Amino acid sequence: TPPPLPPPPPPPTPPPPRGAALSAPVSLTSGPTVIISVTAGAMLPEARAEVGSLQSLLPGPVSVHVNPAVGDLSAVLRGARHLHMASHMRKGCATFVRGARPEVVTFEPVVLAAPPCLERAVLNACYSASLAKLLHARGGARIFCWRSRVEDEAARIFGEAVWLSLLLGRSDRDAFEAGRFAVTAVTKPVVARDGGPARSQKFTLRDPDESEGGESGVVSSGILLVAAGVPELYDSTRFPFCLSLELPTLASPDEDRDSLARAKMHLRGYLRRTCGLSSFR
């Protein structure tokens, strides 16, 4: 009797679809998520609601730290792979709390406290793009942030939409677009021309300090809109260039300062033109 034939080999695995690297599912269960909320001294009711919503939404171990001191950041962030900050920031500095009083620091201690394993962060605060740039340049983490001031409600909507999209397995870029869409899709009750009830768009993704009308509202196509702010995403696909040029410690001491300044100026201009760099907490 002849020996039995071996089983046929399994069919070959089909190649991944084009662009699969940019749309690979995101796993939020690979490590702990840290939520930092700093609302002391600021009227941010939406930030408090945002923290509660994310605490019940995010899977895996989630630790929430309300109004921490800057000296506790290293311990708070130890081992964190994902970070969400709902707080108040100003240009070049962040606010924490020590002894029930605001504690204002530069971004330096925040960057130094961030662990090397940090993969992703949502910095839901005004002017957080500068901090995002430093965190991304230091460890390559994907950072969602705001280039300008951001309205409190718009920040909550954006942050919740980003994390929900990531939980659905979407890429960081898709989650960023979902957050942008969620903010602009919010409507408010208005009175129609015939006197009946209606609704209209509430927010527009514009810088409130650069938009005509500012906080009083922006009129577009006859609709009065609130300038919510300008969100940005720092990742390797949108920012393929070395952002470490912003870190003066990496510049050669023999480098001509004027030449370096001109090179950085031209690089910023190129990024704005080709990469969409320019896409109230």
Side-chain angles (χ1 to χ4, degrees), residues 83 85 89-90 92-94 107-108 110-111 114 118-147 176 230-236 239 243-244 246-247 277:
L83 169 65
M85 290 188 67
M89 292 187 187
R90 295 183 291 182
C93 60
F107 292 146
E108 184 178 14
V110 184
V111 174
L118 184 67
E119 298 175 1
R120 182 177 295 100
V122 177
L123 305 181
N124 232 3
C126 294
Y127 305 116
S128 53
S130 297
L131 175 57
K133 184 186 302 184
L134 296 173
L135 289 174
H136 178 73
R138 187 168 188 257
R142 283 83 74 193
I143 314 291
F144 301 79
C145 59
W146 294 87
R147 189 194 72 193
F176 176 69
V230 182
E232 289 187 342
L233 168 64
Y234 281 71
D235 68 349
S236 58
F239 297 92
L243 293 177
S244 60
E246 296 295 333
L247 302 177
L277 192 62

Side-chain angles (χ1 to χ4, degrees), residues 39-137:
T39 57
M43 296 299 295
L44 302 176
E46 297 288 343
R48 297 180 176 89
E50 173 184 333
V51 171
S53 174
L54 294 179
Q55 192 173 8
S56 60
L57 176 67
L58 296 176
V62 177
S63 59
V64 178
H65 302 268
V66 179
N67 296 329
V70 67
D72 299 330
L73 276 185
S74 182
V76 165
L77 295 177
R78 185 175 296 119
R81 291 185 178 271
H82 309 287
L83 169 65
H84 183 93
M85 290 188 67
S87 62
H88 175 66
M89 292 187 187
R90 295 183 291 182
K91 289 184 178 180
C93 60
T95 302
F96 296 91
V97 179
R98 180 182 296 273
R101 295 184 178 182
E103 186 179 32
V104 182
V105 298
T106 67
F107 292 146
E108 184 178 14
V110 184
V111 174
L112 294 177
C117 58
L118 184 67
E119 298 175 1
R120 182 177 295 100
V122 177
L123 305 181
N124 232 3
C126 294
Y127 305 116
S128 53
S130 297
L131 175 57
K133 184 186 302 184
L134 296 173
L135 289 174
H136 178 73

Side-chain angles (χ1 to χ4, degrees), residues 173-217:
R173 177 64 58 81
D174 290 341
F176 176 69
E177 294 302 331
R180 283 162 45 95
F181 168 76
V183 174
T184 59
V186 174
T187 59
K188 61 184 177 181
V190 296
V191 179
R193 293 182 179 180
D194 60 2
R199 299 189 70 86
S200 67
Q201 182 178 338
K202 182 174 182 178
F203 295 113
T204 179
L205 298 177
R206 302 185 189 180
D207 188 335
D209 294 327
E210 297 178 358
S211 303
E212 184 178 351
E215 295 183 17
S216 61

